[in-house]
Amino acid sequence: MTDHTCPICGAGFTSESGLDDHCWDAHGACHYCGTEFEDRNALYTHWLTVHEDSLSNEARARATSEVGGLTFRERLAHQGPVGAVANIGLSRRQVLLGGVLGLGGVAGAALLGGSGGGKSMTEHAAATSLGTQPTLGPSPSAAEGTIVAFEDPSCPACARFERSTFPQLKSELIDPGRVSFVFRGIPVVYPWGDPAVLALEATYNRSAEAFWGLKAFYYREQANIGIETVQEVTSQYLADQTDVDADAVVSDVQSETSRDAVDVDLQASRDAGVRGTPTFFLFSGGSFATEIVGPQSYDVFANSLGM
Amino acid sequence: MTVDLRPRLLTTVDEWRLVGRTVRLVLSLPQYAVLAVGYAVLGLSVFVFSRNVAILRQIVLGSSLPWGSRATVTVELYPFIGTAYTTLRGTVLALTAVLIGIDMAVATYHVREHRLSVGQGSGSLGGIVLGTLGAGCAACGSAVLAGLLSVAGVSGLLLALPLDGLEFSVLAVFVLLLSLYWLADGMRGGEIAGCPLPE
């Protein structure tokens, strides 16, 4: 019974070395795959690049001693750029194991790392100066749950949240008095977001009801607003739909009266690690529950708050 | 010995046919079809959770909420189920995930059946990396790309692009197709599941 068969002529041999000698003497070829070579050194290089996982210790030692291992150029040609850098002296299993361990380490760090879990709302960076922020529903200190929302009126994803999720949050959790919703405007997307946030702050200083109406207006008309038109449309909306002095608000925007208030929200967003809008920080029973990024559905918010 | 560094681009009909035949033959093997689905689901999950690692850590894995609530939160994060993605962005994200699944299945076949070293499949690894970044950008505000770009203070500039950053996902799809071609090109003249590939 033979365990080693020539890939070219089918002759059988009882040992790998016998097969190797036959393939080379009779065919000038590799005994693993039948590829032909002009000289032994080329064959050994082929073993080390293509069949390294199949080599016996004896064959590997023989090949390495004859050709002195692979040059970087040879690894680049046969194993590609990743192999040329990563496979230096490593077998495929070692590289694979290293990759799995590396990915596992990254995943573990991502899952176990980070901060904020269980932290009190009063200590969380997202909730600094919470008492001065526009709030719907009960006071954050009295509510079962609190959502602190970092949004930009010029952000399309924030507009999607306003359309698809906020109405249900308002009707099922905020209006019944279970959840407090706190808005923090940060102008980080399009340029017109900056005067819009200043206008929102100036409006809130005069009327909370007008503030929420203006916010909804910005999201509703977002596609039609730009840096050249934002002050005009703001003035028109406030004059037509609210009792707020529209000219005073526009004047506040131009003089940046509320710049400090906007900067407080921007600093809070940086301290809390906000990387984009909309970003929401959820607190349940006064303790931090989780951070939600993007215009996620009502069910994500409700279930994360345990409601 | 020379190293052929000429760019290999997917430009001719024959090259597209090679890719199609290679993919079809590999996926005709049930174990590799299952592998492709698994890799695609894994890829899509990486994209989805890269934006909301906090939810995964603090709600799905680390909270005392009922398992039903945790399952609901998990499922609602995915495109076409939750509301986080528009139809266009969800489609591009899903397409990227499918290509990653196919790419990884073909690369796995190449490594296992043709006894190729991991390094020789590095073209597909480049496509996977770019696919992850690009799909993260397609999700707008993804932790992956936004986190990297925010270091340079340019994350907001993504939305200054005509497609609000979707360009990167489209580029990722192109790179994944290119990596599929490189893999298929490396298998020319061989066989898959007993069927020959063109020279």
Side-chain angles (χ1 to χ4, degrees):
Chain A
M1 181 177 176
T2 59
D3 297 325
H4 306 278
T5 305
C6 175
I8 298 174
C9 66
F13 299 86
T14 56
S15 69
E16 184 179 337
S17 61
L19 173 63
D20 172 34
D21 290 338
H22 160 75
C23 279
W24 184 252
D25 294 338
H27 308 297
C30 168
H31 67 285
Y32 291 112
C33 62
T35 306
E36 297 180 3
F37 297 90
E38 291 184 356
D39 61 75
R40 268 280 192 183
N41 282 356
L43 172 66
Y44 291 144
T45 301
H46 169 76
W47 281 3
L48 292 173
T49 55
V50 180
H51 302 297
E52 61 173 328
D53 282 351
S54 303
L55 289 177
S56 64
N57 290 337
E58 178 195 350
R60 187 188 308 280
R62 181 158 31 115
T64 304
S65 70
E66 291 293 334
V67 298
L70 298 174
T71 65
F72 181 79
R73 187 185 176 88
E74 287 167 336
R75 279 198 299 274
L76 182 66
H78 291 283
Q79 299 173 347
V82 173
V85 174
N87 284 359
I88 300 173
L90 297 176
S91 70
R92 188 169 61 201
R93 284 196 181 83
Q94 288 169 329
V95 172
L96 189 61
L97 182 61
V100 169
L101 288 176
L103 282 176
V106 170
L111 288 174
L112 297 175
S115 62
K119 186 182 284 187
S120 164
M121 185 163 59
T122 56
E123 297 172 331
H124 201 284
T128 55
S129 304
L130 211 57
T132 61
Q133 306 304 320
T135 303
L136 271 183
S139 161
S141 58
E144 285 178 60
T146 298
I147 300 171
V148 179
F150 288 89
E151 300 181 33
D152 181 334
S154 70
C155 164
C158 300
R160 233 167 44 248
F161 169 79
E162 177 81 6
R163 282 193 308 272
S164 64
T165 305
F166 183 71
Q168 192 173 3
L169 274 176
K170 188 170 185 299
S171 64
E172 300 203 18
L173 295 178
I174 299 171
D175 289 344
R178 300 187 68 188
V179 166
S180 177
F181 184 88
V182 182
F183 178 92
R184 309 199 72 155
I186 51 173
V188 294
V189 183
Y190 290 110
W192 71 264
D194 188 65
V197 170
L198 286 170
L200 283 170
E201 292 282 353
T203 302
Y204 181 66
N205 290 337
R206 293 167 169 82
S207 165
E209 184 181 352
F211 164 85
W212 293 105
L214 182 61
K215 176 181 82 77
F217 168 76
Y218 282 147
Y219 286 135
R220 198 164 56 242
E221 298 297 323
Q222 194 181 70
N224 304 317
I225 302 176
I227 188 63
E228 303 85 7
T229 60
V230 59
Q231 290 189 34
E232 179 188 341
V233 300
T234 300
S235 176
Q236 193 163 358
Y237 170 83
L238 290 175
D240 292 345
Q241 305 294 330
T242 74
D243 296 329
V244 168
D245 184 346
D247 291 337
V249 168
V250 172
S251 173
D252 280 354
V253 170
Q254 291 169 344
S255 61
E256 300 196 359
T257 304
S258 302
R259 176 59 66 193
D260 287 347
V262 175
D263 287 346
V264 166
D265 288 336
L266 274 170
Q267 190 57 50
S269 72
R270 289 189 200 106
D271 293 342
V274 173
R275 290 183 298 269
T277 53
T279 297
F280 308 90
F281 292 85
L282 274 59
F283 300 87
S284 179
S287 296
F288 175 71
T290 193
E291 174 186 341
I292 295 177
V293 177
Q296 305 296 340
S297 68
Y298 167 82
D299 285 334
V300 173
F301 285 88
N303 281 277
S304 296
L305 287 170
M307 299 180 182
Chain B
M1 182 185 304
T2 58
V3 175
D4 187 355
L5 296 178
R6 286 175 298 173
R8 295 176 292 158
L9 301 177
L10 193 54
T11 53
T12 68
V13 173
D14 284 342
E15 288 165 348
W16 280 97
R17 282 204 187 106
L18 172 67
V19 171
R21 182 170 174 78
T22 302
V23 169
R24 186 166 51 82
L25 289 175
V26 170
L27 296 186
S28 71
L29 300 167
Q31 65 269 40
Y32 289 97
V34 170
L35 209 58
V37 170
Y39 280 131
V41 171
L42 183 63
L44 186 62
S45 300
V46 168
F47 301 154
V48 166
F49 283 105
S50 67
R51 297 184 69 196
N52 280 287
V53 177
I55 292 180
L56 181 64
R57 186 171 65 230
Q58 290 150 357
I59 299 296
V60 179
L61 297 177
S63 75
S64 57
L65 291 170
W67 285 106
S69 296
R70 299 193 224 184
T72 299
V73 170
T74 304
V75 167
E76 287 281 332
L77 294 177
Y78 285 80
F80 305 116
I81 301 176
T83 57
Y85 304 94
T86 62
T87 302
L88 176 60
R89 289 184 189 277
T91 300
V92 174
L93 207 64
L95 177 61
T96 308
V98 166
L99 283 174
I100 284 179
I102 293 173
D103 207 332
M104 291 300 291
V106 172
T108 303
Y109 178 91
H110 200 16
V111 169
R112 291 187 63 193
E113 306 298 337
H114 296 159
R115 308 186 73 79
L116 200 67
S117 72
V118 171
Q120 286 170 288
S122 60
S124 65
L125 292 179
I128 301 303
V129 170
L130 190 57
T132 304
L133 291 175
C137 190
C140 190
S142 149
V144 178
L145 186 58
L148 289 174
L149 292 184
S150 66
V151 172
V154 295
S155 57
L157 292 180
L158 293 176
L159 292 178
L161 297 170
L163 300 180
D164 289 347
L166 202 59
E167 291 86 347
F168 289 98
S169 281
V170 173
L171 179 62
V173 166
F174 171 75
V175 171
L176 284 166
L177 286 172
L178 200 61
S179 75
L180 264 177
Y181 169 59
W182 289 349
L183 283 168
D185 192 45
M187 292 193 270
R188 275 185 194 274
E191 283 187 358
I192 299 175
C195 298
L197 288 175
E199 290 283 350

